[in-house]
Amino acid sequence: MVTRKQRRKKNGGSRCNVASRRSTAETPPKVVDGQGLNPITRGTMSSTRFRKDKEIIAEYETQVKEIRNQLVEQFKCLEQQSESRIQLLQDLQEFFRRKAEIELEYSRSLEKLAERFSSKIRSSREHQQFKKDQHLLSSVNCWYLLLNQTRRESRDHATLSDIYTNNVIVRLAQISEDVIRLFKKSKDIGIQMHEELVKVTNELYTVMKTYHMYHTESISAESKLKDAEKQEEKQFSKSGDLNVNLLRHEDRQPRRSSVRKIEKMKEKRQAKYSENKLKCTKARNDYLLNLAATNAVVAKYYIHDVSDMIDCCDLGYHASLARTLRTYLSAEYNLETSRHEGLDILENAVDNLDSRSDKHKIMDMHNQVFCPPMRFEYLPHMGDEVCQVSAQQPVQTELLMRYHQLQSRLATLKIENEEVRKTLDATMQTLQDMLTVEDFDVSDAFQHSRSTESIKSVASETYMSKLNIAKRRANQQETEMFYFSKFKEYLNGSNLIIKLQAKHDLLKQTLGEGERAECGTTRGRRNARARIQVLP
């Protein structure tokens, strides 16, 4: 048979189980970092926490690994940039070295060209005459200035070659050395900064692990404390039932002993929980402080330190390269300035090309050749003393008739020759227009904005195309032939006029003197007759 005492134990136990189930159902689980602390889930809590810790650690390690990969790639990028700069500087050195050789070769070729023709001029007779009189023809002056300009360009290009070799290339070599040196120093500083980042991430990892450990212990202590509290609640509920049912005096002492044990266990677990909670709080604070410090260091590195490190690599690079290229620009601009100065002198000589002045200079230099000869004198034959045209009878009538014929002939020839002169002047003007056409502007050939094909097509349609040149040459030669035919006709006509005019003037003078002589003779005869008549 079941005794009353056994039934009470059975009913009390069932009531305790019901109370426990009610407490479990009514009390929500406490959440710490997303984990419930319900005693029902105590059995699976450690495995869940272990997976969470592994995920957190894996996520952190992945992030740190990405940062380290970035640091490695940063060095690779900076090293590639340094290598590309060194390659650029080497290409520039090779370019200017080859350009210096070309400039020097061009300078020597110009010097040989100028010396070839200068020696030819020095050995000529005309040069000695020009050097003595200092009366250079305008065309010869242009030729001399062209040779001087060639020598000037030869010296300038030799100077340019020297600047490239001893200035520009040396500067580029120094910049290349600076790039290598600065990259090494910047890399050393970068390695130091990377070590600092690794150090702070390792410290963060350590404090994070410490925080996780203390937090796990705190959760475990809290769970044990809750178990103790529940046991105490069960014990108190049992004690209440026993008091109600008036238990015997001898059963109370063991009950009080178990209650004191539970209270001691609870106090011990409460102390352990407070200790672990304090350690967890301190560890969390350290973790959060280190987390803020690590984020600040990482942010500073990526926002400021990386930029400063790149600036260290770039220190003076662009300024030095700019100074080097400005040296090149200065040399080229001064070359152009010197060239323009020489070309301005030559252009002034071209503007002073004057055919009339050259004609006078040639005639002055060869005065004996172009000086008019002495006049032909009358050479009497065997003592003949008559040296004038005789206009006395019986040749006077013939001379008078000849005089009138010359006068009429001269009038006709002058009219005809004047017409020829007008035609000659018009033809000369046409030739002048052909010869002075402004076809010397070749600026279109230097328009670099257009393609080579378009430049060639424009050149083929310009004034200097082969078709236009052939047409102009044919027109010019035809006009020249017409001009020379008219010029020949004009010369023949003018020569004939000059001859007839000289005869006309002499006959006019002779006939005039003959008339005066005849009048004087007639008057003398009349006076003689009058005297004869008076004498008788």
Side-chain angles (χ1 to χ4, degrees), residues 225 263-273:
L225 177 62
E263 289 178 352
K264 287 182 180 179
M265 182 181 65
K266 179 184 175 183
E267 290 176 358
K268 185 184 295 184
R269 291 185 179 182
Q270 180 67 43
K272 187 67 175 178
Y273 169 71

Side-chain angles (χ1 to χ4, degrees), residues 164-224:
Y164 289 159
T165 303
N166 298 321
N167 193 326
V168 176
I169 295 177
V170 173
R171 287 174 181 264
L172 292 172
Q174 292 175 352
I175 297 173
S176 182
E177 294 175 359
D178 294 341
V179 169
I180 297 173
R181 185 180 66 257
L182 291 174
F183 172 73
K184 289 181 179 179
K185 292 184 178 180
S186 300
K187 186 177 181 180
D188 294 339
I189 296 175
I191 292 174
Q192 183 180 352
M193 290 190 293
H194 290 184
E195 292 175 351
E196 181 66 22
L197 286 178
V198 173
K199 180 181 178 181
V200 296
T201 53
N202 290 335
E203 290 177 355
L204 180 62
Y205 179 77
T206 301
V207 296
M208 183 183 70
K209 292 286 291 182
T210 304
Y211 159 65
H212 287 177
M213 180 184 67
Y214 284 129
H215 186 257
T216 302
E217 293 177 357
S218 176
I219 292 174
S220 177
E222 185 180 8
S223 176
K224 291 179 180 180

Side-chain angles (χ1 to χ4, degrees), residues 27-43:
T27 305
K30 185 176 181 181
V31 177
V32 178
D33 290 341
Q35 298 177 2
L37 299 179
N38 195 303
I40 296 177
T41 62
R42 266 201 318 266

Side-chain angles (χ1 to χ4, degrees), residues 93-130:
Q93 291 180 61
E94 182 63 26
F95 169 79
F96 281 107
R97 186 177 294 108
R98 180 59 184 147
K99 199 170 191 304
E101 293 174 358
I102 294 173
E103 294 291 346
L104 184 60
E105 182 180 357
Y106 182 56
S107 171
R108 291 171 178 171
S109 299
L110 289 178
E111 181 64 27
K112 290 179 181 179
L113 179 65
E115 182 60 27
R116 173 186 174 186
F117 289 95
S118 297
S119 60
K120 183 178 179 180
I121 290 174
R122 285 193 296 268
S123 62
S124 63
R125 183 185 304 176
E126 288 80 2
H127 174 72
Q128 302 297 331
Q129 184 68 26
F130 291 148

Side-chain angles (χ1 to χ4, degrees), residues 23 66 74 92 155 306 321 362 406 441 448 477 482 516 520:
S23 175
E66 290 177 356
Q74 286 175 5
L92 285 173
R155 293 191 299 269
V306 171
L321 184 60
I362 291 174
L406 287 173
D441 187 6
H448 297 285
Q477 292 176 8
F482 181 75
R516 287 195 298 271

Side-chain angles (χ1 to χ4, degrees), residues 107-343:
S107 171
R108 291 171 178 171
S109 299
L110 289 178
E111 181 64 27
K112 290 179 181 179
L113 179 65
E115 182 60 27
R116 173 186 174 186
F117 289 95
S118 297
S119 60
K120 183 178 179 180
I121 290 174
R122 285 193 296 268
S123 62
S124 63
R125 183 185 304 176
E126 288 80 2
H127 174 72
Q128 302 297 331
Q129 184 68 26
F130 291 148
K131 186 176 180 181
K132 178 180 179 180
D133 297 338
Q134 295 297 322
H135 294 300
L136 292 178
L137 301 178
S138 59
S139 57
V140 176
N141 184 41
C142 289
W143 172 229
Y144 284 6
L145 291 177
L146 181 59
L147 293 176
N148 290 336
Q149 174 65 15
T150 304
R151 294 192 193 93
R152 182 172 187 163
E153 291 182 6
S154 173
R155 293 191 299 269
D156 291 343
H157 283 279
T159 303
L160 193 63
S161 175
D162 181 71
I163 292 174
Y164 289 159
T165 303
N166 298 321
N167 193 326
V168 176
I169 295 177
V170 173
R171 287 174 181 264
L172 292 172
Q174 292 175 352
I175 297 173
S176 182
E177 294 175 359
D178 294 341
V179 169
I180 297 173
R181 185 180 66 257
L182 291 174
F183 172 73
K184 289 181 179 179
K185 292 184 178 180
S186 300
K187 186 177 181 180
D188 294 339
I189 296 175
I191 292 174
Q192 183 180 352
M193 290 190 293
H194 290 184
E195 292 175 351
E196 181 66 22
L197 286 178
V198 173
K199 180 181 178 181
V200 296
T201 53
N202 290 335
E203 290 177 355
L204 180 62
Y205 179 77
T206 301
V207 296
M208 183 183 70
K209 292 286 291 182
T210 304
Y211 159 65
H212 287 177
M213 180 184 67
Y214 284 129
H215 186 257
T216 302
E217 293 177 357
S218 176
I219 292 174
S220 177
E222 185 180 8
S223 176
K224 291 179 180 180
L225 177 62
K226 287 184 179 295
D227 289 341
E229 290 176 350
K230 290 187 181 301
Q231 291 179 11
E232 186 180 20
E233 289 177 0
K234 290 179 182 180
Q235 189 65 35
F236 284 154
S237 64
K238 289 180 180 180
S239 298
D241 292 340
L242 291 175
N243 290 330
V244 172
N245 294 316
L246 299 175
L247 293 174
R248 292 194 306 270
H249 179 72
E250 60 271 9
D251 293 332
R252 294 178 182 176
Q253 188 66 28
R255 298 287 181 182
R256 291 175 181 173
S257 170
S258 63
V259 169
R260 284 196 298 269
K261 288 180 180 179
I262 292 174
E263 289 178 352
K264 287 182 180 179
M265 182 181 65
K266 179 184 175 183
E267 290 176 358
K268 185 184 295 184
R269 291 185 179 182
Q270 180 67 43
K272 187 67 175 178
Y273 169 71
S274 299
E275 181 184 357
N276 289 336
K277 186 176 182 181
L278 179 61
K279 290 181 179 180
C280 178
T281 301
K282 291 182 178 180
R284 185 190 300 110
N285 291 339
D286 289 341
Y287 172 58
L288 292 174
L289 291 174
N290 279 274
L291 181 64
T294 301
N295 287 330
V297 171
V298 172
K300 175 180 178 294
Y301 173 78
Y302 278 91
I303 296 175
H304 299 289
D305 294 346
V306 171
S307 177
D308 294 340
M309 185 170 62
I310 295 175
D311 290 339
C312 289
C313 292
D314 293 344
L315 187 63
Y317 170 73
H318 294 85
S320 299
L321 184 60
R323 284 165 43 225
T324 302
L325 294 178
R326 289 188 184 280
T327 302
Y328 161 73
L329 291 173
S330 175
E332 291 289 346
Y333 282 138
N334 282 281
L335 176 69
E336 291 300 318
T337 300
S338 176
R339 179 180 175 84
H340 279 297
E341 289 176 357
L343 292 178

Side-chain angles (χ1 to χ4, degrees), residues 358-399:
D358 285 354
K359 177 180 68 176
H360 292 314
K361 287 179 180 179
I362 291 174
M363 296 178 70
D364 291 340
M365 285 187 297
H366 304 87
N367 187 26
Q368 296 180 354
V369 177
F370 293 101
C371 181
M374 297 179 60
R375 292 174 60 86
F376 289 97
E377 298 294 337
Y378 176 68
L379 301 176
H381 183 261
M382 298 181 67
D384 186 6
E385 296 179 357
V386 179
C387 59
Q388 293 180 351
V389 178
S390 177
Q392 297 179 359
Q393 292 295 341
V395 295
Q396 182 179 10
T397 304
E398 180 186 355
L399 291 177

